[in-house]
Amino acid sequence: MTQPSRRSSQADPAPSPAKLARVRTVAQDAMRGARWWTLLDLERILRADTEFWRDLWAPSLAIAAHKVGLRNARSRLDEAIDAGFHQTDLFEPELSAAFGADPDWQRVIERARANVPVPALRLTAWPEPGPAAPLRLDRAEAHRVPQLLPRLPRPGEGAWETAKTLLGWTAGLWRHANARINAGDALDVLEQVANGARYSCVEYSIVLAQGLNALRVPARRVWLRRGDYHDGIGQGHAVAEAWIDDLDQWVLLDGQHGAYWADEHGKPLSLPELQARGHPARPVHVGARELMKDPALWAAYFAHASVSGIAWEPKGFVPVFQDGQVLATERLVRDSADAYPRLSDLAIGVTAIGGAPAVELKPVHPYAVAGSWNGETITVQGRQRFARVLDREPGEHRAALAAVTPYGPLASRELRWTAS
């Protein structure tokens, strides 16, 4: 085997990219094939490879020099550690086999470990959406929404005012009857009502849920059932529910009665809250008619329920309704919490804007139109929606993140990070 004619710690002038690529390939093949003299012959050129010298070639050459019995073989490793090398584990067990018997080897390893730099950026806290089943809203077909919107009341300043206005309006459209349209959307119902038709609670729920979604208030239909709903008559009632941005919660809405339910302090209630109560809640009417004469009677319908796409039963589900109709559901769960995503939640992604680390807001709310970062609205930047570059000023940082809907920003979530 021919020994190299020269040994020097000096690097050759920077080679051309093409030459450097060829040398890297030869060096890698030499390492894999244990051709140590071939690798050592490339040392002067490899020293000019500033991208990989410290972390790859220097420790590899130290191993190669030991393999062929050169004096001061470890000097290349010491040089790399002095320059900041710390990834000794990538070269084990060869490094320990070569230099583990040196009396100062443990100190060498400790020096290398001390070179691990503090990360320039670390996210320490970020928002995560709670677990929930996929959300399915009751919406009119997209091509029908432009025809539906002109028939609806104008949206209010907030989501709650909009929902109450539409709730009262829906209740006043017709007097309840037991007729069913059996097919069609809110637009079909409204057109038939304009011709004198009268319908049941089901059609009120269709108009209310699809009307709310057209006004960018997330809503879905709800089917309420009495405790013994598998037999008898009058065992079910159809209503709707909506996520109210400014209340940061779901609220149950009865389109037939133009009512929602509130607790003793006037707080509007969700269906799970109504199911958990030991006594009837107070109905609050916003329509022209007060039809709910016996709240206790109607509260009995909260015994069992399902919403668009999901049903829950902690003790066991009876899949047949009073008339033998199968109660189909896309998903059956035990806990109602699985059916109620918090629509002010958001997730984050990490992306790059102009080569700099950035955070991308990923709202849960289906009608989010922007993000908010410490109160500043962010929309689209480059290819990212709702993204913002992270502050790299050394220290600890915090930001209040929120989704923004047509009714304004939602409840905020905190992001924290450190920079050094």
Side-chain angles (χ1 to χ4, degrees), residues 196-245:
R198 293 164 56 191
Y199 293 114
S200 71
C201 58
V202 172
E203 285 68 32
Y204 285 107
S205 71
I206 292 172
V207 171
L208 182 54
Q210 294 188 6
L212 285 167
N213 280 299
L215 297 176
R216 320 310 277 176
V217 176
R220 56 191 179 181
R221 294 166 64 195
V222 179
W223 292 266
L224 304 175
R225 296 182 290 276
R226 297 170 64 89
D228 53 356
Y229 65 81
H230 58 282
D231 187 57
I233 60 171
Q235 298 281 39
H237 183 44
V239 293
E241 65 182 0
W243 171 267
I244 306 301
D245 292 351

Side-chain angles (χ1 to χ4, degrees), residues 341-389:
R342 197 170 189 83
L343 298 192
S344 58
D345 278 353
L346 50 81
I348 67 164
V350 177
T351 185
I353 296 178
V359 163
E360 185 175 6
L361 280 63
K362 298 179 179 292
V364 171
H365 199 292
Y367 301 130
V369 295
S372 173
W373 184 288
N374 287 336
E376 178 186 343
T377 299
I378 52 176
T379 52
V380 179
Q381 188 166 355
R383 295 183 178 181
Q384 288 81 24
R385 297 175 72 239
F386 317 156
R388 178 72 173 263
V389 173

Side-chain angles (χ1 to χ4, degrees), residues 46-281:
L46 293 176
R47 281 181 174 277
D49 186 359
T50 55
E51 182 178 356
F52 291 120
W53 168 252
R54 185 194 78 176
D55 294 319
L56 177 59
W57 305 130
S60 298
L61 285 161
I63 293 169
H66 172 79
K67 293 285 189 180
V68 301
L70 294 182
R71 297 177 59 187
N72 299 322
R74 207 188 82 185
S75 64
R76 297 162 178 84
L77 177 63
D78 293 333
E79 177 187 342
I81 292 174
D82 289 342
F85 171 71
H86 59 83
Q87 293 178 280
T88 56
D89 58 308
L90 296 183
F91 297 88
E92 293 293 2
E94 288 83 1
L95 280 180
S96 292
F99 309 114
D102 293 0
D104 64 340
W105 181 241
Q106 189 56 42
R107 291 196 297 274
V108 171
I109 294 298
E110 290 172 359
R111 283 175 50 221
R113 289 173 179 166
N115 282 335
V116 178
V118 175
L121 202 61
R122 184 191 297 273
L123 303 181
T124 57
W126 55 87
E128 295 181 82
L135 175 68
R136 187 162 72 77
L137 302 176
D138 273 288
R139 297 185 261 205
E141 294 290 334
H143 70 279
R144 301 273 282 173
V145 173
Q147 302 171 63
L148 176 60
L149 276 171
R151 297 174 178 263
L152 303 176
R154 293 180 60 84
E157 292 187 4
W160 185 221
E161 286 304 315
T162 299
K164 288 191 293 183
T165 298
L166 194 66
L167 175 62
W169 174 81
T170 301
L173 287 171
W174 71 87
R175 294 188 65 84
H176 177 270
N178 285 322
R180 293 287 308 279
I181 195 171
N182 292 323
D185 59 11
L187 192 60
D188 293 322
V189 174
L190 293 176
E191 288 175 345
Q192 293 302 314
V193 167
N195 292 326
R198 293 164 56 191
Y199 293 114
S200 71
C201 58
V202 172
E203 285 68 32
Y204 285 107
S205 71
I206 292 172
V207 171
L208 182 54
Q210 294 188 6
L212 285 167
N213 280 299
L215 297 176
R216 320 310 277 176
V217 176
R220 56 191 179 181
R221 294 166 64 195
V222 179
W223 292 266
L224 304 175
R225 296 182 290 276
R226 297 170 64 89
D228 53 356
Y229 65 81
H230 58 282
D231 187 57
I233 60 171
Q235 298 281 39
H237 183 44
V239 293
E241 65 182 0
W243 171 267
I244 306 301
D245 292 351
D246 30 326
L247 300 182
D248 196 38
Q249 68 170 82
W250 290 92
V251 175
L252 194 69
L253 305 168
D254 188 328
Q256 176 183 329
H257 296 105
Y260 63 92
W261 287 265
D263 67 11
E264 292 74 13
H265 305 288
K267 173 186 174 294
L269 297 173
S270 67
L271 175 53
E273 289 173 319
L274 288 164
Q275 287 186 313
R277 289 177 65 90
H279 57 280

Side-chain angles (χ1 to χ4, degrees), residues 11-33:
D12 280 350
S16 67
K19 180 179 180 181
L20 183 57
R22 291 194 299 271
V23 170
R24 285 174 173 173
T25 300
V26 173
Q28 289 169 349
D29 290 344
M31 289 166 57
R32 294 190 186 101

